Amino acid sequence: MGDLTLQAQVKPYILTRYNDGGRSGANLNETVLTTANVNSNSFGRLFLLPVDDQVYAGLLYFPGLPMTGGTHNVLYAATMNNTVYAFDADSLGTGAPLWQRNFNGTGRPTTNEDVGGSCANYQDFRGNIGIVGTPVINPTTKTMYFVTRTVESGGTVQRLRAIDITTGADRTGSPATIGATVAGNGEGGSTISFNSLTQNQRPALAFAKNTVYISWASFCDTQPYHGWVMGYDSASLAQVGVYNTSANGGLSGIWMAGAAPMFDNAGNVYVSTGNGSWNGRANLGESLIKLQSRTLKLMDFFTASNYNSLNGSDMDFGSGGPTAVPGTKYLVTGGKEGKLYLLDATNLGKIAAGDAQIPQVFQAVNTTARPSSTHHIHNANPWWQSPQGLNVYVWGENDYARAYRFDTTAQRLVTTAAVVGPVLPPVGMPGGMMSISAKGSQAGTGILWATLPRYGDANQTIVGGELYALNAETLALLWSSTGPNEDYFAFSKGSNQIIANGKVYVAGVSKYIGVYGLKSSGVVAQNKAYLKTATGSTSCNGTETPDKAVNGTWSGGNGDKWCSQATNPTLTIDLGSVTTVSRVVIEHAGAGGETFDFDTADFTIQLSTDGANYTTAATVTGNVVCITTHDIAPVSARYVRLNITKPAANGDGSARIYEVQVF
């Protein structure tokens, strides 16, 4: 068998999660950004694109697309409110989307209060749970495919949508309601039926050989559930294949932290599974599974020999997705143990004591930095043919970024990292969400991009995010989003950044997409509160003054905030002139590295044109999130006032505000 990787096209098309069918995670056609110009002097955030809800799905990019009104490089985003946006990717954020469309119909999105019965309300997502899995685009027909999730007449419905990427209009046959049954005697009865409420469509959708593939896991292991893969004809949306990972058992979900199924050149499908039943036949938990193109018949599998202990300690083998080793018949995949498995795609090896039947397995996430913490691999591992050799990149939680070299003679990975990065993430999950940009293998062009939490554990809570750029040859730090007005607010743990045409696009859960690039491209000053006059109740000390809440940064330590111990403290910002206000973003204690228990619990946002007469634009009670986004019906205002009635959820009497940004 030859090269597994389905190569990306010559232009920087990003039409699928991790760029191509082999999931290389690399745009090798980036000619603008280099290790020389990605630095704090030349590079930064250009603008923010507002959307209507959190973004967990990955972003997509189609260059030179003819649409009504001209030809555009188009950025696509999908939100948890079941809304899809098409933006001019080079618009500097100054205009409306090229088009946007909401797919709730007569229903509403599922919410975290509807699912996750095993843990009460589901906490990995908070609020709406609409489009989660990254869409995929068929470039020939210019059709986008994605799954919406709505509650209608008290019931949950999942639908496969196919739309024209130039208009957002439905294609013939769209939408198709998702459902399936398989024979079995596992959880759910003698015939196993797809449960649209409990099945979480977390992985990215995938497209190959006129077939769209969708896969599922669960919300908080709420049973009964199974791992499902379904295939649909890309033209008619007729279901052409169904596979269930645990038909005679249970669990074995396919989630892969949002990664996509991998393909070989025959279009066969590779997915990994988490905790669940195993019998080597109908039940394949803790496994890497190969399914036949289109029909989804089981062709082969690999199961970790210690699957019983993985099940017993919630150490999903399938927390990461498979990626092809470029130019070979091999693939790699990693899970919660932090091990990388090198597998032969032509003979996955099934199961054997000590995993002796496979080419290689080793501990890729180093445990010495934080030996008592977790060392999971989430999402997928990008590859790059660097000038020094073929590298795979691993950034597990509680460890530094590492590049491992593939020895093309031995056809094995060198188990000592070739280079190690300088940044240790905060304690907790999920490690780095990574991508590569480079001009082929040219020296000085390879950059490893990664988003990580800035502070705190992103497991079952929302945390601030940070974007890093590292030299992909040396893993030296080039730049990070710590400068004034450079952050993208809250971290989206299921969405990797994309790089195209000199720009980096980062999705977040604060209802924004951050767009980064060379500052010479033009920086838009969207934050109307930046460096404006701020006054407030008496500060905790002489340094934690109101001006710290409008200096555009959170990164100056605990002193980079306004703090007040006054009763019902207030913070007022004078925008300088009357302007239109439609959104306010507040970064609370946890955004600056303090305990999340100090996040502002109860507060109101008030607006005024004259500084004397205020109207309440937003009222918040019981907040537990470190970065909050408040949408306001567009209104004229000059003054923005924050009134705090409960400074912290744990009863602490100090108000702590790291940043207030007004849009």
Side-chain angles (χ1 to χ4, degrees):
M1 186 172 180
D3 184 354
L4 285 176
T5 307
L6 301 183
Q7 296 296 327
Q9 301 180 52
V10 174
K11 285 186 178 181
Y13 292 87
I14 304 174
L15 310 182
T16 186
R17 181 66 167 255
Y18 251 42
N19 298 64
D20 51 57
R23 311 304 166 197
S24 71
N27 172 16
L28 302 182
N29 301 291
E30 176 52 52
T31 60
V32 177
L33 301 176
T34 69
T35 58
N37 61 24
V38 175
N39 56 62
S40 58
N41 293 323
S42 303
F43 183 87
R45 196 186 80 194
L46 304 181
F47 56 92
L48 294 164
L49 293 171
V51 292
D52 68 353
D53 208 342
Q54 302 175 67
V55 180
Y56 278 92
L59 306 171
L60 301 176
Y61 179 91
F62 199 115
L65 182 65
M67 299 174 66
T68 301
T71 299
H72 303 268
N73 296 327
V74 185
L75 178 75
Y76 294 95
T79 76
M80 297 289 253
N81 190 40
N82 289 316
T83 302
V84 176
Y85 290 82
F87 293 102
D88 185 307
D90 306 308
S91 67
L92 292 180
T94 56
L98 297 170
W99 59 259
Q100 69 182 85
R101 183 182 171 196
N102 181 265
F103 294 88
N104 285 330
T106 60
R108 63 166 175 83
T110 304
T111 71
N112 68 310
E113 297 180 353
D114 297 323
V115 297
S118 291
C119 54
N121 295 337
Y122 191 64
Q123 297 301 315
D124 275 344
F125 305 141
R126 296 187 181 214
N128 292 331
I129 306 176
I131 301 170
V132 179
T134 302
V136 68
I137 294 174
N138 177 350
T140 303
T141 63
K142 296 182 175 58
T143 300
M144 176 188 289
Y145 303 90
F146 54 93
V147 172
T148 58
R149 184 181 177 93
T150 53
V151 176
E152 302 168 19
S153 302
T156 300
V157 182
Q158 296 194 36
R159 293 185 175 92
L160 172 60
R161 298 273 184 171
I163 64 170
D164 183 334
I165 63 172
T166 66
T167 65
D170 282 293
R171 295 296 195 189
T172 301
S174 177
T177 301
I178 292 170
T181 59
V182 295
N185 56 18
E187 294 180 358
S190 57
T191 299
I192 309 301
S193 297
F194 177 80
N195 186 321
S196 60
L197 176 64
T198 62
Q199 298 291 161
N200 183 10
Q201 204 289 291
R202 183 84 175 270
L205 276 68
F207 170 80
K209 298 189 180 298
N210 301 317
T211 309
V212 178
Y213 297 96
I214 315 169
S215 40
W216 288 264
S218 74
F219 295 98
C220 198
D221 289 333
T222 301
Q223 297 174 253
Y225 79 88
H226 304 266
W228 291 86
V229 186
M230 300 183 198
Y232 289 82
D233 182 84
S234 60
S236 67
L237 299 193
Q239 192 178 85
V240 295
V242 175
Y243 178 75
N244 185 295
T245 63
S246 54
N248 289 340
L251 291 72
S252 308
I254 301 166
W255 60 288
M256 304 189 299
M262 193 200 88
F263 297 119
D264 60 25
N265 281 340
N268 299 315
V269 182
Y270 299 77
V271 294
S272 57
T273 63
N275 306 323
S277 304
W278 189 90
N279 62 11
R281 299 180 299 280
N283 303 329
L284 289 174
E286 311 288 16
S287 299
L288 189 286
I289 299 172
K290 179 179 181 178
L291 304 172
Q292 187 178 62
S293 174
R294 202 165 172 90
T295 67
L296 294 176
K297 292 180 180 178
L298 178 64
M299 298 179 70
D300 198 1
F301 68 89
F302 163 76
T303 301
S305 60
N306 62 338
Y307 71 88
N308 268 325
S309 64
L310 296 181
N311 276 336
S313 54
D314 188 26
M315 294 292 284
D316 300 60
F317 175 85
S319 65
T323 60
V325 182
T328 77
K329 63 178 181 178
Y330 298 105
L331 63 87
V332 296
T333 193
K336 285 187 177 180
E337 286 187 292
K339 295 178 179 178
L340 269 188
Y341 293 81
L342 179 70
L343 304 175
D344 181 343
T346 67
N347 179 17
L348 293 178
K350 298 184 171 59
I351 189 169
D355 302 321
Q357 83 285 23
I358 65 172
Q360 191 176 24
V361 57
F362 69 97
Q363 186 69 35
V365 181
N366 191 286
T367 63
T368 59
R370 295 197 181 112
S372 61
S373 298
T374 54
H375 300 94
H376 304 174
I377 292 173
H378 289 111
N379 215 277
N381 302 102
W383 287 86
W384 181 47
Q385 179 67 55
S386 75
Q388 296 79 25
L390 180 59
N391 292 338
V392 63
Y393 296 85
V394 178
W395 203 335
E397 59 200 28
N398 298 302
D399 189 22
Y400 301 90
R402 298 176 185 274
Y404 290 95
R405 190 74 38 78
F406 186 77
D407 185 328
T408 55
T409 300
Q411 295 287 283
R412 298 293 183 269
L413 285 157
V414 179
T415 59
T416 299
V419 287
V420 180
V423 178
L424 183 65
V427 176
M429 301 182 187
M433 305 288 105
M434 300 174 289
S435 299
I436 294 283
S437 67
K439 183 179 180 181
S441 296
Q442 184 173 315
T445 68
I447 300 174
L448 176 70
W449 302 90
T451 51
L452 295 98
R454 66 169 79 149
Y455 297 115
D457 184 352
N459 183 32
Q460 300 187 30
T461 193
I462 292 173
V463 300
E466 190 165 359
L467 173 65
Y468 291 91
L470 282 71
N471 184 321
E473 295 180 55
T474 66
L475 291 186
L477 179 64
L478 301 172
W479 175 90
S480 66
S481 58
T482 55
N485 288 322
E486 289 202 333
D487 69 338
Y488 63 93
F489 306 125
F491 172 66
S492 180
K493 60 189 172 185
S495 178
N496 62 291
Q497 61 295 135
I498 64 171
I499 308 96
N501 195 30
K503 295 185 176 66
V504 182
Y505 302 90
V506 182
V509 297
S510 295
K511 303 184 181 179
Y512 279 110
I513 296 161
V515 183
Y516 297 81
L518 298 181
K519 294 176 183 178
S520 58
S521 300
V523 177
V524 179
Q526 293 168 291
N527 173 17
K528 299 180 179 183
Y530 180 50
L531 299 181
K532 294 300 194 296
T533 301
T535 57
S537 300
T538 303
S539 299
C540 295
N541 57 54
T543 62
E544 296 175 339
T545 47
D547 59 294
K548 297 293 181 62
V550 292
N551 66 357
T553 72
W554 48 267
S555 58
N558 288 349
D560 194 3
K561 68 175 182 288
W562 168 69
C563 174
S564 178
Q565 295 175 329
T567 301
N568 297 330
T570 64
L571 176 70
T572 302
I573 301 167
D574 180 356
L575 302 179
S577 61
V578 175
T579 186
T580 301
V581 173
S582 60
R583 179 174 284 181
V584 177
V585 179
I586 304 174
E587 305 200 39
H588 306 272
E594 300 187 69
T595 174
F596 291 170
D597 288 340
F598 287 164
D599 288 336
T600 320
D602 300 345
F603 57 94
T604 61
I605 299 171
Q606 294 184 316
L607 304 176
S608 171
T609 56
D610 58 9
N613 301 290
Y614 283 86
T615 59
T616 298
T619 300
V620 178
T621 59
N623 173 57
V624 294
V625 178
C626 68
I627 300 177
T628 54
T629 302
H630 309 276
D631 286 324
I632 298 164
V635 62
S636 296
R638 173 172 174 171
Y639 299 90
V640 179
R641 185 167 70 188
L642 179 64
N643 300 310
I644 298 174
T645 53
K646 185 177 181 181
N650 68 353
D652 185 90
S654 297
R656 299 168 172 86
I657 301 296
Y658 277 80
E659 200 67 23
V660 177
Q661 299 201 29
V662 179
F663 301 92

